[in-house]
Amino acid sequence: MSSTAPHAPLLRELLGAVLREERRDQGRTLADVATASGVSLPHLSQVERGGKEPSSEVVAAICGALGLPVAELLRRAAAEPLDLTSSGGRAVPAGFTAPAAAPTAHLSLVA
């Protein structure tokens, strides 16, 4: 498989994109949703950017604050259109800026 082939976005990236879109569509700030959900503002921001893998409890709290059923979040994440050009070939949700590539580690086994 070629290293330039597009990759499917991670679930956390899709969920974050939908949560951010919903919050913005409602005209709400990160601070407002953080307060309403009980999730810290920095953590909510990381979740929206796809940088943190949210627990099911955090997802439920954010969805509750937005009035968005978790099932609807998942449906919308599954249907999220992909933009193959905004991240150098990696498939990401349209309008989403992918986080910087994580550092890689190499492991060598010597007998």
Side-chain angles (χ1 to χ4, degrees):
M1 178 181 217
S2 170
S3 63
T4 60
H7 301 283
L10 299 172
L11 178 59
R12 70 174 187 244
E13 295 168 341
L14 293 170
L15 295 177
V18 173
L19 290 169
R20 174 174 278 171
E21 177 182 61
E22 180 64 28
R23 177 183 59 77
R24 288 179 173 171
D25 286 351
Q26 291 182 17
R28 295 173 69 185
T29 65
L30 274 169
D32 174 50
V33 175
T35 299
S37 66
V39 174
S40 74
L41 192 146
H43 190 69
L44 176 59
S45 177
Q46 284 285 327
V47 167
E48 283 192 0
R49 288 184 281 137
K52 291 285 184 184
E53 190 79 49
S55 68
S56 59
E57 290 86 359
V58 167
V59 169
I62 297 168
C63 283
L66 293 170
L68 176 68
V70 173
E72 177 63 11
L73 169 67
L74 296 174
R75 187 197 65 74
R76 286 172 54 185
E80 187 70 31
L82 299 179
D83 176 357
L84 298 177
T85 61
S86 66
S87 66
R90 182 177 168 141
V92 297
F96 177 76
T97 303
T104 58
H106 299 279
L107 176 65
S108 298
L109 299 176
V110 179

